[in-house]
Amino acid sequence: MGQLLITILVCFFAGMGAGLGTGFAGMSAAAVITPVLVTFLHMDAYAAVGIALASDVLASAVSAYEYGKNGNLDIRNGIVMMVSVLAFTLVGSWVSSLLDNQIMGGASVFMTMLLGVKFIVKPVMTTKESMAAVSAKKRVIQSVICGILIGFICGFIGAGGGMMMLLILTTVLGYELKTAVGTSVFIMAFTALTGSVSHFAIGGAPDWTVLALCVVFTLLWARIAAKFANKASPKTLNRATGVVLMILGIVVLGFQYFT
């Protein structure tokens, strides 16, 4: 009974962190859930990643629905970018297998914290009107190029997909923050599904109790965060997103280097 209670508590806090990161900033659940499960439940890292990705599927999907319902989702360009991301994640992963890139393992964690600081210090105040001023052809070309870049980096580093998408969508493609997060979680739902299926196919069945708990808690907190984010003002959302990213980055960094 004691071990079950510990498992529930660990999954609750892992799901809460992952859900808030997903709903607010389109962050991959794997960045939070994986180190928590490995550290506190002593789970095999490969199995933990599979559970984290599976938790990401519904959390990202319900977040994307919430953002889409409020008109904060660019489906057409999101699909274009998603195809590029999926294709070049495989390329990046192959290149990574040929090189020694252990040092890059913590890159996504530092990027998460720096991105959090960026949203607090220099918030994204782009409007939908300025987004609409960009021609459809130019936007598609930008989506393909940026998808290639994001996919390659994610495959090479092995993490950071949600963060890379949010960074590129807001700074390079000029998306306003809500549309950037909505489009990011839309793409993440499909990439997480692909990743989780491949993990379970290769590594075998997961711990069903941990999987169910992580999926439920991540879904719950992602829905709460997405509802709040879509009602918040741009300034408030920038600050909330920045704080969430900084806290998650610090916590994950602590798990990786001090446990």
Side-chain angles (χ1 to χ4, degrees):
M1 185 65 180
Q3 183 58 44
L4 178 60
L5 180 60
I6 292 173
T7 299
I8 293 173
L9 288 174
V10 169
C11 292
F12 174 80
F13 286 108
M16 180 173 67
L20 291 175
T22 300
F24 274 120
M27 184 176 178
S28 171
V32 179
I33 292 179
T34 301
V36 172
L37 296 184
V38 171
T39 301
F40 294 102
L41 297 183
H42 308 293
M43 184 174 288
D44 174 73
Y46 192 85
V49 171
I51 289 175
L53 289 170
S55 303
D56 216 359
V57 177
L58 288 180
S60 293
V62 75
S63 297
Y65 170 77
E66 195 66 40
Y67 279 92
K69 188 173 67 173
N70 288 276
N72 297 315
L73 172 59
D74 184 358
I75 293 180
R76 191 177 83 168
N77 291 300
I79 291 174
V80 171
M81 184 177 289
M82 178 180 66
V83 173
S84 300
V85 169
L86 289 174
F88 277 82
T89 295
L90 298 176
V91 176
S93 180
W94 175 72
V95 173
S96 177
S97 68
L98 304 177
L99 302 172
D100 181 13
N101 68 318
Q102 292 181 346
I103 298 176
M104 299 185 69
S108 63
V109 181
F110 288 105
M111 185 177 71
T112 298
M113 291 188 292
L114 290 176
L115 195 56
V117 174
K118 187 264 180 191
F119 281 122
I120 295 174
V121 176
K122 189 178 180 181
V124 177
M125 301 303 288
T126 308
T127 63
K128 290 185 178 180
E129 288 73 23
S130 60
M131 280 181 60
V134 180
S135 70
K137 182 179 179 181
K138 182 179 179 181
R139 183 71 78 194
V140 170
I141 294 173
Q142 287 177 326
S143 297
V144 171
I145 295 173
C146 291
I148 291 172
L149 177 64
I150 293 168
F152 183 83
I153 292 175
C154 294
F156 190 74
I157 297 176
M163 291 300 90
M164 280 300 301
M165 274 186 275
L166 184 62
L167 179 64
I168 295 296
L169 287 170
T170 54
T171 59
V172 179
L173 297 185
Y175 277 55
E176 59 96 20
L177 186 55
K178 291 181 182 180
T179 306
V181 176
T183 305
S184 177
V185 291
F186 171 75
I187 297 171
M188 288 300 297
F190 293 94
T191 57
L193 177 62
T194 303
S196 61
V197 170
S198 64
H199 266 70
F200 295 149
I202 296 171
D207 183 318
W208 294 109
T209 301
V210 174
L211 174 63
L213 289 171
C214 285
V215 168
V216 170
F217 290 136
T218 305
L219 177 63
L220 171 65
W221 285 101
R223 184 170 177 80
I224 292 172
K227 278 187 170 293
F228 174 84
N230 278 281
K231 293 179 181 179
S233 66
K235 189 174 182 179
T236 300
L237 180 58
N238 273 275
R239 288 179 175 174
T241 301
V243 170
V244 168
L245 290 177
M246 285 183 64
I247 292 175
L248 291 178
I250 292 170
V251 171
V252 173
L253 190 65
F255 288 149
Q256 289 186 348
Y257 293 100
F258 301 105
T259 55

